[in-house]
């Protein structure tokens, strides 16, 4: 909307989440898998969602790794504390 607030319709709420592992990395089930940025180094995904609290030189390398994992869409969420 005009106030840059994020709206999540109830039909988009993910019910199934799991940590990404070597065993499920190629599984195509409709489950949201999450991991740290550095654990995902060397892999790619069609859609990448990055969540960070701030952009700074300390996390610059991690953000570069995360950004370069996206093949089609990249979404970066900066969370204000």
């Amino acid at each position: 909307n005009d106030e840059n607030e994020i709206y999540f319709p109830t039909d988009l709420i993910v019910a199934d989440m799991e940590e990404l592992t070597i065993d499920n990395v190629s599984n195509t089930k409709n489950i949201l898998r999450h991991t740290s940025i550095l654990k995902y180094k060397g892999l790619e995904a069609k859609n990448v969602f990055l969540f960070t609290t701030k952009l700074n030189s300390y996390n610059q390398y991690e953000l570069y790794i995360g950004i370069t994992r996206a093949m089609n869409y990249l979404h970066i969420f900066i969370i204000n504390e």
Side-chain angles (χ1 to χ4, degrees):
N1 62 23
D2 292 335
E3 298 175 12
N4 294 325
E5 292 181 14
I6 299 173
Y7 170 71
F8 292 106
T10 55
D11 57 339
L12 294 179
I13 294 175
V14 176
D16 295 324
M17 289 178 53
E18 66 184 13
E19 185 174 0
L20 183 69
T21 64
I22 293 173
D23 298 328
N24 66 16
V25 72
S26 61
N27 190 328
T28 58
K29 285 184 183 176
N30 192 15
I31 296 174
L32 178 61
R33 293 184 180 86
H34 60 87
T35 189
S36 72
I37 294 171
L38 294 180
K39 286 182 181 179
Y40 210 72
K41 186 177 177 182
L43 300 173
E44 293 180 326
K46 289 182 181 180
N47 301 300
V48 171
F49 296 84
L50 295 177
F51 293 87
T52 186
T53 53
K54 55 187 159 183
L55 304 175
N56 57 40
S57 60
Y58 178 74
N59 64 2
Q60 183 178 12
Y61 176 72
E62 289 181 346
L63 291 174
Y64 172 78
I65 296 297
I67 289 169
T68 57
R69 302 305 94 200
M71 295 186 326
N72 294 334
Y73 297 101
L74 172 66
H75 307 275
I76 300 175
F77 297 92
I78 301 172
I79 301 168
N80 295 324
E81 294 183 46

